[in-house]
Amino acid sequence: QVQLVESGGGLVQAGGSLRLSCAASGRTFSSYAMGWFRQAPGKEREFVAAISWSGGNTYYADSVKGRFTISRDNAKNTVYLQMNSLKPEDTAVYYCAAHRSTFGDHVFPLKGSYDYWGQGTQVTVSS
């Protein structure tokens, strides 16, 4: 069982930056590949970024590539999402998710691959 708690959301002007954090409970955090997803009002939850259990592999949605960076600190049981050059269309509730990795050092862009989800943190970007 893994519990995930996101933090770091807020209101920021377009062009600004935010860093989201996702703290995980449990001693097996390094066994989990992690992902960030977001959901805007009236829209489906969509993939943002993913990182493998070692941190050696990352993958991004085209809409955030070059602006967002996912990273993790397995010693702190935390995954991060650094968001730069924010746009109003980035406004959404951001969720982190964990996938139990059984083999390989893979990333998972599909939300159906994830076993655990956090409650989300609101990010609002004003124009």
Side-chain angles (χ1 to χ4, degrees), residues 4-5 15 22 24 33 52 59 62 70-71 73 82 93 99 123:
L4 304 171
V5 179
C22 173
S52 62
Y59 185 71
D62 287 344
I70 189 171
S71 61
D73 185 338
Q82 177 67 45
V93 177
H99 169 88
V123 171

Side-chain angles (χ1 to χ4, degrees), residues 3-64:
Q3 292 186 324
L4 304 171
V5 179
E6 302 94 337
S7 62
L11 174 64
V12 63
Q13 288 189 331
S17 298
L18 283 174
R19 188 176 82 154
L20 305 184
S21 299
C22 173
S25 65
R27 293 179 292 177
T28 59
F29 175 72
S30 60
S31 300
Y32 288 83
M34 301 296 293
W36 285 98
F37 292 77
R38 66 187 182 187
Q39 188 167 16
K43 294 190 176 181
E44 294 285 324
R45 190 170 299 189
E46 66 174 6
F47 169 74
V48 175
I51 190 166
S52 62
W53 68 265
S54 73
N57 293 303
T58 58
Y59 185 71
Y60 297 91
D62 287 344
S63 59
V64 306

Side-chain angles (χ1 to χ4, degrees), residues 80-122:
Y80 305 97
L81 185 68
Q82 177 67 45
M83 306 186 295
N84 299 328
S85 302
L86 282 160
K87 305 175 181 180
E89 51 263 44
D90 294 318
T91 295
V93 177
Y94 283 70
Y95 299 89
C96 70
H99 169 88
R100 184 81 164 98
S101 292
T102 55
F103 66 92
D105 194 31
H106 304 298
V107 292
F108 299 90
L110 300 178
K111 58 181 180 285
S113 300
Y114 289 86
D115 306 299
Y116 303 101
W117 293 83
Q119 292 300 305
T121 186
Q122 176 71 46

